[in-house]
Amino acid sequence: METCSQSGNRDLAEELLGYFVEQGKEKCFAACLFTGYNLIRADVALELA
């Protein structure tokens, strides 16, 4: 998550969120939202949540 956030790649951050949803890892999903808040679009976060 930290590497993804530092990369500045929006698509990568949103793909990582999708991965956590698929795996059922709610805590990782929340941590990814917190870590990559500046990259992840609100509409994508709401859709995946």
Side-chain angles (χ1 to χ4, degrees), residues 11 41 45:
D11 292 331
R41 295 175 291 184

Side-chain angles (χ1 to χ4, degrees), residues 2-3 6-7 11 18 21 23 25 27 33-34 37-38 40 43:
E2 188 65 33
T3 303
Q6 290 179 2
S7 75
D11 292 331
V21 169
Q23 298 299 312
K25 305 215 179 257
K27 291 181 181 179
L33 282 176
F34 181 77
Y37 70 94
N38 58 335
I40 299 165
D43 61 328

